[in-house]
Amino acid sequence: PQTDIVFLKVHKSASSTVMNILFRFGETHNLTFAFPAGGGNQLHYPHHFLAKAVQGFSPGSPRRFNILCHHMRFLQPEVQKVVSSSAVYFSILRNPVQLMESSFMYYKGTSAFSRARSLEEFLSQPSRYYNPASGDRHYARNLMAFDFGFNPDAEPSAKRVQLILATIEASFDLLLISEYFDESMVLLKEKLCWDLDSVVFFPLNSRDTKTKAALSAATVEKIKDWNRLDWEIYTHFNRTFWERIDRDFGRERMRREVRALRERQAELAGTCLQGTGSVAPQDIKDSSLRPLQHGSARIVGYNIKQGLDEETERRCRRLVTPELQYSGALYKKQFAPRRP
């Protein structure tokens, strides 16, 4: 199994669920994480990543960490200072239309979105609300391109797009697609030589469907146009994702593997969860399992069954622990003061 991993955690793209998978694997195998200095949840973000932003890194004695997975703006020469040269690099992409709708709800307090009453109003006159000089502009335009390290306001010329795609392809071993999350987990399992239980998941940091808005065809086209760099990145890697499946897997084998993953998840849900799945934030009984609520979004969570044996309870709890709580617990464990 691969134990040296770089995951570029792109915002609002099912990346918290991927992070939970990495946290569980790292904890189970006693691996080290490249945590943000001071134990936060972002690595020098929204500035480009710097090795010195990692807790425990010092240029004099460069320590290598197994897993780098917290939010960062990608800068590979700096990343290479903190991970092994054999590390597997991967990331996840989401359709920019859904990404923009989600960002508008989640980052409603940012400078670009706060004054617009709706996403449609913002898109009718983006220049009225969007300031390229503001420090939080990236949440409102080409967020994926920004997280990969590029300028979100750059002209999306054919030449620039080709350069961006070639740069991403040269840096990353695997690009997952959040709309095909199950297939993505099968590809990830294969790439990392992990077993099925290592990539089993319950969706985390997901929004209550009641707060999701349907978008008109005109709004969809405006979103694609406003986020042209992201649209080009997404459509290219969505295509190569399926080409990879056809080349390395075949659709029939992929269907079998996805079925096995879903059956295992259903089995674990029956073992672990009260009710049929996620619940609204106010209905989560254990406050330590309540996810952070942000913007206008309502983030759902889970209740674990009562009366489980200790080992099962621990495994179930890991599956549903929100990102911030899990990250904080692993940070404390990794940097616990050593007893004399």
Side-chain angles (χ1 to χ4, degrees):
Q2 288 281 354
T3 55
D4 294 312
I5 294 155
V6 174
F7 171 54
L8 177 61
K9 186 176 186 290
V10 170
H11 287 76
K12 310 312 306 158
S13 301
S15 54
S16 293
T17 306
V18 178
M19 202 175 193
N20 178 271
I21 288 166
L22 296 175
F23 281 166
R24 286 178 359 235
F25 186 87
E27 185 177 22
T28 302
H29 295 84
N30 209 22
L31 304 179
T32 57
F33 290 88
F35 283 107
N41 62 327
Q42 305 198 102
L43 290 153
H44 200 50
Y45 195 85
H47 306 289
H48 279 97
F49 174 79
L50 292 175
K52 68 180 184 184
V54 172
Q55 179 82 37
F57 173 83
S58 76
S61 59
R63 177 184 174 189
R64 297 282 190 250
F65 297 87
N66 297 116
I67 299 176
L68 176 61
C69 63
H70 286 71
H71 276 308
M72 63 171 161
R73 191 173 183 206
F74 191 66
L75 186 60
Q76 194 160 17
E78 287 291 312
V79 169
Q80 287 167 335
K81 294 177 184 177
V82 299
V83 295
S84 156
S85 58
S86 62
V88 174
Y89 286 69
F90 78 99
S91 187
I92 188 163
L93 303 170
R94 184 182 185 186
N95 186 314
V97 175
Q98 278 71 50
L99 178 61
M100 181 89 182
E101 189 273 331
S102 178
S103 294
F104 185 82
M105 295 296 289
Y106 201 79
Y107 302 115
K108 191 71 183 74
T110 59
S111 59
F113 291 151
S114 59
R115 290 179 298 115
R117 282 169 300 185
S118 66
L119 181 55
E120 285 74 14
E121 186 178 298
F122 172 84
L123 291 163
S124 67
Q125 285 180 286
S127 58
R128 185 180 159 199
Y129 303 102
Y130 181 82
N131 177 4
S134 73
D136 59 4
R137 79 193 193 286
H138 53 282
Y139 293 117
R141 188 177 201 189
N142 290 314
L143 181 51
M144 291 192 291
F146 183 87
D147 285 353
F148 276 93
F150 304 105
N151 175 6
D153 297 309
E155 180 62 34
S157 65
K159 188 177 178 184
R160 177 173 276 114
V161 167
Q162 287 310 311
L163 192 60
I164 286 173
L165 297 177
T167 305
I168 294 171
E169 280 179 337
S171 302
F172 288 84
D173 300 291
L174 181 61
L175 276 299
L176 308 177
I177 302 292
S178 68
E179 284 79 14
Y180 305 105
F181 198 85
D182 292 350
E183 291 84 352
S184 292
M185 291 306 99
V186 170
L187 284 186
L188 185 66
K189 172 175 78 79
E190 191 79 0
K191 181 69 188 170
L192 299 177
C193 301
W194 288 6
D195 63 12
L196 182 66
D197 270 17
S198 295
V199 296
V200 163
F201 64 91
F202 296 145
L204 295 177
N205 206 27
S206 296
R207 219 163 96 218
D208 189 331
T209 49
K210 290 177 189 148
T211 67
K212 292 182 182 175
L215 302 172
S216 69
T219 299
V220 167
E221 290 310 311
K222 283 179 183 173
I223 291 173
K224 288 182 192 174
D225 197 48
W226 176 246
N227 297 279
R228 181 57 56 185
L229 289 178
D230 273 6
W231 183 250
E232 296 288 353
I233 290 169
Y234 176 78
T235 52
H236 174 82
F237 287 108
N238 186 22
R239 191 180 73 251
T240 60
F241 177 86
W242 290 102
E243 286 170 359
R244 184 180 195 128
I245 288 171
D246 289 337
R247 185 185 70 237
D248 300 345
F249 249 76
R251 300 284 173 115
E252 186 48 47
R253 183 185 163 201
M254 178 55 80
R255 276 192 284 273
R256 283 200 311 273
E257 297 253 4
V258 165
R259 192 161 56 243
L261 176 66
R262 288 174 180 166
E263 283 169 3
R264 180 64 180 134
Q265 269 161 213
E267 191 184 325
L268 280 168
T271 301
C272 294
L273 304 180
Q274 286 180 30
T276 55
S278 59
V279 296
Q282 67 272 18
D283 296 327
I284 301 167
K285 299 183 180 83
D286 183 340
S287 60
S288 71
L289 297 179
R290 203 168 287 146
L292 175 73
Q293 302 299 310
H294 205 286
S296 308
R298 289 201 328 162
I299 309 300
V300 298
Y302 299 91
N303 287 316
I304 293 178
K305 278 184 178 170
Q306 303 295 302
L308 298 172
D309 66 79
E310 197 178 330
E311 178 55 38
T312 305
E313 207 266 349
R314 187 163 59 240
R315 188 166 80 239
C316 293
R317 184 169 281 274
R318 283 176 176 174
L319 276 161
V320 302
T321 298
E323 174 188 328
L324 297 185
Q325 288 94 310
Y326 208 156
S327 183
L330 291 174
Y331 177 86
K332 278 185 192 159
K333 190 174 170 185
Q334 187 166 308
F335 295 103
R338 292 202 179 127
R339 291 184 179 176

